[in-house]
Each structure stands twice: as structure tokens, then as C-alpha cells.
Amino acid sequence: MRTVASSPEIRIDSYLSAGEERSLAYDVLDGLTRPFKEIPPKHFYDARGSELFERICELPEYYPTRTEREILSARAQDIVRCSGAGELVELGSGSAEKARILLGAMSAAGTLRRYVPLDVSESALEAAALELVDEFDELTVHGVIGDFERHLDRVPRGPADGASRIVALLGGTIGNFPPGTRRRMLRQIGALLGPEDRLLLGTDLVKNPAVLEAAYDDSQGVTAEFNRNVLHVINRELEADFAPEAFEHIAFYDREHEWVEMRLRARRPCTVWVAALGLRVQFAAGEELRTEISAKFTRARVEDDFRAAGLRLECWYTDSDQLFALSLARRL
Ligand code: SAH
Ligand code: AVI
């Protein structure tokens, strides 16, 4: 562990560095030598990837961010009143733009104490911490730079006086895990909850495939650039020689699995050398590399996943067009 920042208001601990490079190396070695090539989506998010994601959130086609923000703005008071929480833990916090809404409601209720963001992106987490302590006088931030698949046990314990907390996983990020991993993650997140704590989970909902496909293949090509960013990350971190423009961005809705899949398709045959791994990888023309799944949910699917993870749905909040949902859950 390395403490990246320490002041009366902000402490940031990092569990990445050497461990993170190893995780990318493992994922590349494992994922690019499979019969169907695959890289997990967490490797999109270096500083450039986090900026591209912020641009995606502003796109007219990408409805999840603005819709979840609207639901939160309408329901934040309810959520804070119902939980009495004074602390917000946010997994995959990014720019913390939605946390700001919840922290505002806690501040108005007079309960606000601490924000605990956890993210792989150091740049996004540091910027968010600085902005938030400026905005809320009573707030302290304890940030954790880490991987929520490996470092949930590094999330600091809840307030010493037993005050309750909300653990949030927003934006539909839970949908980026395959179904089995998703339930395992929910169970591990559930282990962070005390009896009075709540999980706040954002899930994108099943809808017209045309709306979904446009959201992941925008007309300005920002999502395509975000998708190809993983190749830039591998080039830089593992001394590889991918030509990102030789790969076409693909996004389609898989009706059977009810998820959007993003892939990169080789426009021509290519051979890639990954120097740090001593690995040569061949792509045939048209061969695809899967870079992300983004599962879409129904209320029944969320309830089933909660039950399987030892949680129960307490409140279900959605928008008038039923595009996106926020669930408040607690331990069974
Ligand atoms: N919660 C924000 C950001 C969602 S984007 C929102 O709702 O808009 C997903 C975020 O999760 C990014 O900030 C990314 O850096 C982070 N992330 C992705 N995989 C992660 C992992 N395995 N561990 C920790 N953070 C991760
Ligand atoms: C972070 N995650 C929930 C986004 C999603 O919609 O699955 C990532 C994303 N991929 C393409 N656009 C946005």
C-alpha cells in the first residue's frame, strides 16, 4: 500500500502499482491466447479512458448517465432519510458526479461525514476528492485506488459510532460483469454492509435494441475511441505494437443474453508483438476481440441476483420511461 495523499480532509491509499501491471499482464496473456480473444473492461480506464468515458456520459445517445442522475436527484432525500446514512462508499466512483447529489442530501439532513470512493483510476479519484472537500465543509474523503474485484477488503470500516452507510455501485457498472461474477461481486459487496447499511445499485434496463445499440455506437465515434483505448493501454503498459486504427469498433445487442457486447474487429490480418510478455498474437482479418459486456436488467433479474447474494430489495426507483433503475437493498 502507498499513501498518495494525506491532509486533514483527504487521505488516499493506493493498492495498485506493481499489482495492477501484473493484473493487466495476466489478463492480456490469458485473454489474447484464448480461441475467442477477450480483455476485461477495467483496462479501459487510464487517464485518457476516464476522460473519454466522461465524454460518453455527455453524448445524446448515451441516456444512462443523465437518467440515473435524474432519478438520484428526485430520490436522494428519500434514500438518505430511509438509511440515515452519514457515510457514502462508492465503488467505481469515476468523477463522483452522482455522489455529489447524495452527499448534498446527507449534508442537508445534517448526517454527512465521510466519502469513501474506490476506483482503478487515480486521476479521476484525486480530482473528485479535491472538488468535494471544497464543496462540503464537514466532509472528509478516504479514497482507495484499487480494483473492486481484488481490494474490497481494503475499504475502511464504517463509522466508529455505528452510524450507518450507503455502499453505491452506480452507472450500471454491475452489468459489466458476466452473470456468475456479478453475483459473487454482489455477495462480496454485501459483506461490507452492517445490518442498518444499504446497497445502492444502478442498473440499465432491458429496452428497444435500437436505443441500446445507438448508446454504444454514437455518431461522433467517442465510444469507438474509448473501445480502442484499451489497445493504447496495452501498447504503453506492456510495450505492445497494436495499430489501434486497424481495429473497427463493434457494438451489438445480444437478445439471448440481454446484454450489449463491445468488440474490436481486425480490419486486416495483423501480428502484434507484446514485448513485456514475449508474446506474439495473430489476428485473422475480421477476427474479433471482446472488450466489454454491458448487461441490461429487469426488476425480476435484480431481485434474483440480490437473493442469490444474500440481499433483499427494499426500494426500486425508476424514471418515467423505464430506461434505468436504482435499487436500495439490505442484507437478508
Ligand atoms: N460511477 C460512475 C463511473 C462509471 S464508469 C458513473 O456512474 O458515471 C466505471 C468506473 O469504474 C470508472 O471510473 C472505472 O475507472 C471504474 N472501474 C472499472 N473497473 C474497475 C475495477 N475493476 N475496480 C475499480 N474500479 C473500476
Ligand atoms: C461503466 N459502464 C457501466 C459503461 C456501460 O454502459 O456499460 C461503460 C461503457 N461502455 C461503453 N459505453 C459506456
Side-chain angles (χ1 to χ4, degrees):
M1 193 273 279
R2 177 169 63 92
T3 297
V4 179
S6 180
S7 71
E9 297 92 19
I10 302 180
R11 169 176 168 182
I12 300 178
D13 300 329
S14 175
Y15 296 92
L16 294 184
S17 72
E20 175 54 15
E21 283 148 31
R22 201 168 61 238
S23 152
L24 178 67
Y26 285 156
D27 289 342
V28 168
L29 185 60
D30 187 47
L32 295 190
T33 55
R34 289 184 190 176
F36 190 99
K37 297 181 174 64
E38 180 163 26
I39 298 287
K42 69 179 168 204
H43 301 300
F44 286 135
Y45 298 95
D46 64 348
R48 179 170 182 265
S50 297
E51 277 172 33
L52 285 166
F53 180 74
E54 289 310 307
R55 284 179 57 198
I56 289 175
C57 293
E58 303 298 321
L59 292 168
E61 296 95 331
Y62 194 73
Y63 60 86
T65 306
R66 60 174 174 273
T67 311
E68 190 183 36
R69 203 191 302 131
E70 278 163 26
I71 304 171
L72 259 182
S73 300
R75 304 298 195 153
Q77 274 188 340
D78 263 14
I79 293 167
V80 169
R81 194 177 325 112
C82 166
S83 62
E87 174 162 313
L88 174 65
V89 177
E90 188 180 16
L91 309 174
S93 43
S95 66
E97 210 224 305
K98 294 165 193 163
R100 179 173 279 119
I101 301 170
L102 285 165
L103 297 173
M106 288 179 185
S107 179
T111 56
L112 178 62
R113 289 180 208 174
R114 189 166 67 156
Y115 175 50
V116 180
L118 183 154
D119 206 288
V120 280
S121 173
E122 184 167 336
S123 56
L125 194 147
E126 280 181 353
L130 286 169
E131 281 177 22
L132 289 171
V133 293
D134 242 18
E135 194 169 329
F136 298 101
D137 288 343
E138 68 273 53
L139 183 71
T140 61
V141 175
H142 186 160
V144 178
I145 298 165
D147 180 342
F148 46 54
E149 287 188 76
R150 292 184 289 144
H151 301 121
L152 280 189
D153 59 340
R154 307 301 176 159
V155 170
R157 285 172 184 280
D161 61 3
S164 65
R165 63 182 178 175
I166 295 172
V167 178
L169 180 57
L170 302 176
T173 299
I174 192 69
N176 296 137
F177 295 102
T181 314
R182 181 163 90 214
R183 290 188 172 184
R184 196 186 70 223
M185 279 295 300
L186 286 173
R187 183 165 285 282
Q188 287 169 358
I189 294 169
L192 296 175
L193 302 179
E196 298 305 320
D197 296 342
R198 305 292 198 286
L199 166 65
L200 183 65
L201 184 72
T203 47
D204 196 9
L205 299 179
V206 170
K207 61 181 63 65
N208 179 349
V211 174
L212 287 167
E213 288 180 352
Y216 290 81
D217 194 7
D218 64 276
S219 57
Q220 296 172 47
V222 182
T223 311
E225 225 20 66
F226 174 73
N227 195 4
R228 280 190 282 266
N229 192 53
V230 73
L231 304 182
H232 291 283
V233 169
I234 297 170
N235 281 351
R236 188 187 58 238
E237 299 293 327
L238 300 177
E239 299 157 62
D241 61 1
F242 274 104
E245 293 312 317
F247 288 81
E248 182 190 355
H249 166 67
I250 304 289
F252 66 94
Y253 184 59
D254 178 332
R255 289 164 196 251
E256 187 195 331
H257 292 104
E258 298 190 305
W259 65 45
V260 173
E261 215 169 297
M262 293 209 313
R263 298 182 179 179
L264 289 167
R265 180 185 291 156
R267 297 183 202 270
R268 51 177 188 267
C270 23
T271 303
V272 178
W273 173 241
V274 188
L277 302 177
L279 177 72
R280 191 174 303 282
V281 184
Q282 312 269 11
F283 284 83
E287 188 174 345
E288 293 177 352
L289 162 66
R290 178 162 51 205
T291 50
E292 184 177 76
I293 62 160
S294 188
K296 307 306 162 193
F297 291 78
T298 56
R299 180 173 174 155
R301 175 169 296 155
V302 171
E303 285 181 308
D304 285 352
D305 282 348
F306 279 160
R307 235 186 326 274
L311 298 166
R312 75 179 156 85
L313 180 67
E314 192 177 32
C315 298
W316 171 263
Y317 305 113
T318 184
D319 54 291
S320 53
D321 296 322
Q322 313 276 306
L323 294 175
F324 199 92
L326 271 175
S327 302
L328 203 58
R330 55 199 300 184
R331 272 177 19 195
L332 267 179

